[in-house]
Amino acid sequence: MPLFIAPVGVNLKVINIKLETKTKKHLQNLGLTIDSIIQIVSQEGRGTVLNLLGSRVALDHDLASKIYVSTL
């Protein structure tokens, strides 16, 4: 399922990232890679805030729609 429709507060596993190489590399540098375990902290308006490796990362709706996750 796309990240923007995933449930809040549940551990999720990243299964696919469909972004251009430059953006994908930037997210990889932040620690968001395939098989990463993340948790959505909040989803309000057109933004999603993630808990990733103990840090919070904010993504807009367009990025969140191109990151696919599954529940654990």
Side-chain angles (χ1 to χ4, degrees):
M1 79 186 96
L3 184 61
F4 76 94
I5 62 169
V8 175
V10 176
N11 285 336
L12 304 165
K13 182 178 181 179
V14 178
I15 56 172
N16 198 358
I17 301 173
K18 294 185 176 186
L19 293 167
E20 61 184 52
T21 305
K22 183 178 178 181
T23 306
K24 187 186 271 190
K25 189 155 189 108
H26 178 69
L27 291 176
Q28 287 173 344
N29 289 336
L30 293 174
L32 185 67
T33 61
I34 296 195
D35 294 332
S36 295
I37 305 301
I38 61 173
Q39 190 176 69
I40 297 176
V41 176
S42 70
Q43 288 184 341
E44 296 184 18
R46 296 195 42 91
T48 301
V49 179
L50 308 175
N51 185 0
L52 172 66
L53 301 173
S55 298
R56 291 191 176 184
V57 177
L59 303 174
D60 69 4
H61 180 77
D62 292 333
L63 283 178
S65 69
K66 296 175 184 170
I67 298 170
Y68 293 85
V69 296
S70 66
T71 57
L72 291 179

